[in-house]
Each structure stands twice: as C-alpha cells, then as structure tokens.
Amino acid sequence: MTVRAGSPAANPLDPQAMATLRPWHAAERPVGGPAIVDCGWGRLLLGQTFADPDALVGALAGELPQARDVAIYVRDPHVVVARSPQQLFLDPSHAYRLPLQRVALPAPPRHGWTVRDARADDETAINRMLRARRMVPVAPGFVARALADERLLLLVAQDDDGALLGVVTGVDHVRACADPEGGSSLWSLAVDPQCTQHGVGLALVAVLAQRLRDAGRCYMDLSVMHDNAEAIRLYEGLGFERVPVYCVKNRNPINEKLYVGPEVDDGLNVYAQLIVDEARRRGIHAEVLDAEFGYFRLSFGGRGISCRESLSELTSAVAMSRCDDKRVTRRVLAAGGVRTPAQLTVRDGDDAALAAFVDTHRRVVVKPARGEQGRGITVDVRTLPAVRAAVETARRVCDDVVVEERVPGQDLRIVVIDHQVVAAATRRPAQVVGDGRSDLRTLIDRQSRRRAAATRGESRIPLDAETERCVRAAGHTLDSVLPAGEVLEVRKTANLHTGGTIHDVTAQLHPALREVAQKASRLLDIPVVGLDLMVPAVDAPVYAVIEANERPGLANHEPQPTVERFVDLLFPQTREAAAARPGGARSAGGSTPAPTATHPDAA
C-alpha cells in the first residue's frame, strides 16, 4: 500500500491522494523482490512491495527467535491477518506522517550534548537504553552492519562526557525499494530514562528528518501506540499528521500484551505490580490484599506467601528490625567486619559529644534512625548550627536521630536476593541543566515531570526546604536563571523518590564489592535486601555500607532480572518453567510490546 500522489514532490497528505491507496503495480515493485530491511530488533517488511497477502504471510512466518518483525503499509491488513489468524495480529498503533518538504523543522538548543551518527562501539550503550525503555535490543553486531547499509540511518545523542542519551533509527524507502513517492520512516526512538537534558528526543527526530529531507525524501512516517498521549502530542507539535497506514505483527511473547487485551489494573504501584505480573506469567495465582500499600498474596502448588512489594514472609521480623533501625544495621555489620561510617546517636543535652563529632568529621549526614525513601535526611552539613537544624528536620520523621560521617564517593545500590548479587546501580542526586532562559524553579519542575513520566510517578523532585538549601548552598535562589549548559545538583541525597537517577553497573562491579554485599545479607540474615554503599569507584574494592533496605524497589534495574530472581526465591519450582517460556527471561531480550515505542520524556 502506498499513497498515490502523482509524483515524489506531491503533497503526501492531500485528501485525494489518501483516497487512492492501493498496492503498487507489478512493474513498480523492486526487481529484486519484496523489500525487507533488517532493523536490528527484527525485520521491517514494506508491505506494498509484496505481490499478494500470501507472500507477506509467508515472509512474516520467517521471523527469527528473539526478533520482532513488523510489516507496514499493508493494503488489506484484515485479509492478511485472516490468512493466518493464529500467527498474526493487527498492531494497535497509529501511523503519523511528517511532510518533509513543507514543514519547518525545529532547531532545539543543545547545550552539553550533540547528535551524531552511531558507531559500532555504541552498540552496548544503545542496547542499555533500549532495554531501559523495555524495547527490543538490537542483535549482536547489528550496529556495525547498519553503518554499511545505505537503507538505514542510525543516530545517537551524546553528551560532552561521552555518554549516550538517546537513539533513533531511520529507514530510507527509496534506497530500500526505489519508492516512487520518496518515502522514509522513523523507528526505535528511545531516550535514556535517566537523562537530565531537555529536548533530546525532539532533536533526534528533527535531525533525522533534516537528513532525509536533504536526501530529497518527501515524507517520514512513524508508528506510535494509540494510548501514548505524551508522544502523540510531541509528534503533532512537530507537524506530524495521522495517516491510514497499518502494521501487522506476529503473535510472540514480546508482542503478547498487544493482542491479549489490557492487563488487569490491580491499582498497585510499579514495585508491586511488576512482581504480580511476573507471577501470573508463571501461572502463580495473585490476590491483591491492599493495593494502596502494595500488599498481595501469591499462591502455587499448595504454598502461599504474602508480600508487601519485595518484602515477603520469608524475611523474619528480626531481620526486618535489623534493617529498619540504622543504628542496629551498623552494629550488626561492623561486628561482622563490614566497613561502615562513624555514627553518633543524638541525645538531648549532650551538645559536647555532637560538637566533637562535627569537629572531627567536618562534613556529616543527619538522618532519622528509622525511615525510608530519603525522608528527613540532610547531607553534607558542615556547621553545628546547621546540624541542629537538620536534627529537627529528621525528628519530624523519627524521634531518634543519628549523625554520620559523610563518606565521599558514588552512591551505589546493590540488590541481593537469596544471598546472591542480582543487580548493582549507581544513584545520582537530582540535577538540572540550565538553558540560559528558565529560572531554577521552572527547570526543577520540568525535570521533576520528566522523572515522574520515566518512573510511572515514583520519582519527583520536591520543592521543599532541602531543595532550597541545596540551591542556596550553590549560590543561587529558585528565581536564578542558570547559564546554558551549567549543571546544578538540587538535592544531596541520591534517592530515586526525590528525583535521583539510577544507572546499571552490574557488569562493572568489583568482586570485593560483590562479596561484601553477599556477606552483609548473611550477617543480617535477610533473603532480599538493597544495600547502599558509598564507593570511590564501582570497579574498586574500597567501600562503606551506609544502609540496608529490607524492601528494595525492584524496578528501574533493567536489564538485570531482579523480579525474576525474587519470584524464583518464593517459588523455586517455577524457575525452569520461566526459563523455558518463549522469549526467555527479561535479561535475555527485554519485554517490550513494540520496537517503535516512544516515551513521554523523549521530548
């Protein structure tokens, strides 16, 4: 199916042109046969180049394991699906078209980063971003092959430190099948969910569109999930318009969510819902006990276990109490030979001890003895009056307050399940990047909305006294306009719930850090724990364990199989069934519904 508009220069959105949709004549089809383009996540089949529905059905049947093929421009999708209804389904996505020759492409300001052609050594970082977005990763060696394929344009956004921020793929239909209409399409737009830069997704789309326009292409199409309202607003704002173009896909494990109907909305938060979803995929019965607080019960083979997110009945009350009180955590770990920061319990009337502690360590952390999600914590306090003020802040969370030496370095979270390290990630405090125009209040609000969108509402930057303190300490106020490209940390704690970002470093973890995390879990005698360490580098053996979380969030650790290992712990008899499931575990290839997915914070 194509849009017959008379010539490549014609308006591809003209209503009369849209009314004449039909397959190409045989003489118009490529001499070499149907056009099939390897896009890394699978093959793109240009449906208008196939002689008949049966030919297209046969080609789709050749989908490889772990690949996710897409047939686009299918003239009669209902007929194609009817040819093999057990194999195929109609993708519930909308198609949008950008008329390249008659729209003004934006040139968003870019400070501290740029868009460039991908290189072969970008493949690991590209797959990290795709997996983080629950999109299908590209096959090994694909990026190197794509560089030699004139049909493909693979672009990445990179910051000044060399880290990749986003990726997008373009397909040139003229080079793919001598398209007489001068078409092209956009696929696999993904922005790192931890990205703090603004406008990365928009820039990738704009640069790709400019490249294709410079090559003489008339339009650029894309496919976006029908309910992705944020992405649709982005595209429509750029000038994309809906077109009657349809995609057909194979029924496979990754596409399953698209053809079995919407999942049950249990009302759970993301940390609990991920576990419930994985359990149901294994045939484990899940009963929601209290959605608001994340309680559910899993049952299988006569065994039932109640959980609150990743805290289950397998964790004893004693183990939980050891983690719940930071003073007890430190004592247990220090007694076992694990390095922990110096700590002082604040006692009313003992100002001399408090003053001596501050004088000795110079820079300290004040925190409630019991608490979670970064509430009541003040980091990098340097004077006795400031410590006293921080103590009062901490007491709003818990009457008992501790002061600790501030250990410099990176904030590292290690998730240990069944006394084995499953995931490790560095956590960075919330930060904003100046654009030379917006005040800090606006920048913080904008970044907070992006973090919320990337974490399904779990991460936001609060505009509270602690944020104002951090801004003032940097010599600014919330009304200050940050110079373009300048980066400012607006929180000192790296907690996800207060806008922090998380970055997987499992593969780089030093063996000594792995060993100490597993040792700590045994000392605490806890089957599931999130250990927080301060380290100078993740690939070095130096560390200090600062906290242990008895209910660690298992989300945001892609591509590590944290949820899978948790369910393995609860129901080990389902481990083999999960591994044998078509498509394998998430760590082997992600669990995205579609390789074309885009996300609200891509802008």
Side-chain angles (χ1 to χ4, degrees), residues 127-134 192-194 270-271 274-275 310 411-417 420-428 451 454-456 458 494-497 500-509 528-533 549 551-566 585-588 590-591:
N127 276 341
R128 174 187 58 78
M129 291 187 291
L130 293 175
R131 287 191 176 104
R133 286 300 191 181
R134 299 184 181 276
D192 189 334
Q194 313 304 331
V270 61
Y271 303 105
L274 282 171
I275 298 169
S310 65
D411 189 311
L412 175 67
R413 162 62 64 91
I414 301 180
V415 177
V416 184
I417 299 176
Q420 298 296 315
V421 169
V422 177
T426 54
R427 303 189 300 174
R428 300 173 190 169
R451 295 299 300 135
T455 60
R456 287 185 265 186
E458 292 298 315
N495 194 279
L496 180 72
H497 292 273
T501 57
I502 186 165
H503 308 264
D504 179 64
V505 293
T506 308
Q508 293 81 47
L509 194 65
V528 179
V529 64
L531 294 160
D532 294 338
L533 296 79
N549 189 328
R551 184 166 51 97
L554 302 184
N556 306 303
H557 281 284
E558 288 84 0
Q560 307 310 326
T562 52
V563 176
E564 289 90 332
R565 296 296 83 81
F566 178 71
R586 191 170 68 234
S587 59
S591 58

Side-chain angles (χ1 to χ4, degrees), residues 432-435 438-448 450 461 480-482:
V432 296
V433 181
D435 60 9
S438 306
D439 61 32
L440 278 169
R441 193 186 311 274
T442 300
L443 292 176
I444 292 170
D445 177 68
R446 186 183 297 160
Q447 176 64 7
S448 183
R450 283 202 295 268
I461 306 174
S480 300
V481 175
L482 206 61

Side-chain angles (χ1 to χ4, degrees), residues 10-45:
N11 175 7
L13 293 172
D14 181 86
Q16 291 185 342
M18 298 310 298
T20 58
L21 297 169
R22 62 172 177 79
W24 283 357
H25 292 299
E28 296 172 318
R29 296 194 188 98
V31 175
I36 301 176
V37 182
D38 179 7
C39 293
W41 36 260
R43 301 174 303 164
L44 178 65
L45 292 76

Side-chain angles (χ1 to χ4, degrees), residues 326 365-369 376-378 394 400-404 546-547:
K326 297 173 178 62
V365 178
V366 181
K367 60 177 70 172
I377 297 177
T378 307
D400 297 324
V401 176
V402 297
V403 180
E404 289 182 351
I546 57 175
E547 287 188 23

Side-chain angles (χ1 to χ4, degrees), residues 192-497:
D192 189 334
Q194 313 304 331
C195 177
T196 59
Q197 302 282 0
H198 177 67
V200 173
L202 183 147
L204 285 165
V205 175
V207 172
L208 178 63
Q210 186 64 58
R211 292 276 193 95
L212 292 166
R213 178 159 72 183
D214 291 345
R217 304 303 167 249
C218 295
Y219 61 84
M220 181 173 73
D221 288 349
L222 59 82
S223 175
V224 59
M225 284 299 297
H226 68 95
D227 57 358
N228 194 341
E230 295 280 357
I232 288 172
R233 277 196 292 271
L234 166 66
Y235 295 134
E236 290 180 343
L238 286 169
F240 282 85
E241 300 181 39
R242 281 278 304 276
V243 289
V245 169
Y246 304 98
C247 294
V248 172
K249 297 178 180 177
N250 282 301
R251 295 176 183 265
N252 57 44
I254 287 182
N255 290 333
E256 186 176 12
K257 293 181 180 180
L258 302 180
Y259 60 80
V260 299
E263 291 184 343
V264 176
D265 182 3
D266 295 302
L268 296 163
N269 64 29
V270 61
Y271 303 105
Q273 192 66 59
L274 282 171
I275 298 169
V276 167
D277 289 345
E278 173 63 19
R280 286 173 175 158
R281 280 192 288 269
R282 299 188 186 197
I284 299 169
H285 176 70
E287 177 189 2
V288 177
L289 304 176
D290 187 327
E292 181 180 359
F293 290 99
Y295 286 93
F296 54 90
R297 182 170 179 80
L298 303 179
S299 305
F300 184 85
R303 174 185 174 93
I305 301 178
S306 294
C307 306
R308 185 186 183 192
E309 299 167 5
S310 65
L311 177 64
S312 77
E313 292 176 317
L314 300 187
T315 296
S316 71
V318 171
M320 180 176 173
S321 68
R322 288 181 182 134
C323 296
D324 181 56
D325 192 317
K326 297 173 178 62
R327 297 166 297 183
V328 178
T329 303
R330 178 181 177 276
R331 290 178 185 177
V332 170
L333 296 182
V338 174
R339 160 85 166 103
T340 59
Q343 186 185 90
L344 173 72
T345 299
V346 177
R347 303 186 189 282
D348 290 338
D350 195 359
D351 283 355
L354 184 59
F357 191 90
V358 174
D359 185 59
T360 299
H361 297 288
R362 303 292 181 183
R363 303 168 72 174
V364 300
V365 178
V366 181
K367 60 177 70 172
R370 301 172 67 184
E372 60 183 4
Q373 299 182 352
R375 289 191 289 265
I377 297 177
T378 307
V379 177
D380 197 14
V381 191
R382 308 186 187 191
T383 68
L384 189 57
V387 169
R388 291 193 181 108
V391 168
E392 293 308 310
T393 298
R395 279 182 171 156
R396 296 180 193 137
V397 177
C398 176
D399 290 337
D400 297 324
V401 176
V402 297
V403 180
E404 289 182 351
E405 68 167 308
R406 180 181 181 273
V407 179
Q410 301 180 59
D411 189 311
L412 175 67
R413 162 62 64 91
I414 301 180
V415 177
V416 184
I417 299 176
D418 199 15
H419 306 304
Q420 298 296 315
V421 169
V422 177
T426 54
R427 303 189 300 174
R428 300 173 190 169
Q431 61 182 32
V432 296
V433 181
D435 60 9
R437 301 185 309 277
S438 306
D439 61 32
L440 278 169
R441 193 186 311 274
T442 300
L443 292 176
I444 292 170
D445 177 68
R446 186 183 297 160
Q447 176 64 7
S448 183
R449 284 187 280 111
R450 283 202 295 268
R451 295 299 300 135
T455 60
R456 287 185 265 186
E458 292 298 315
S459 179
R460 300 178 189 272
I461 306 174
L463 270 172
D464 58 9
E466 175 61 10
T467 297
E468 290 193 50
R469 184 188 75 86
C470 295
V471 168
R472 285 196 307 272
H476 300 285
T477 71
L478 292 178
D479 296 321
S480 300
V481 175
L482 206 61
E486 183 173 325
V487 179
L488 177 67
E489 282 189 357
V490 297
R491 303 285 291 193
K492 290 297 184 180
T493 57
N495 194 279
L496 180 72
H497 292 273

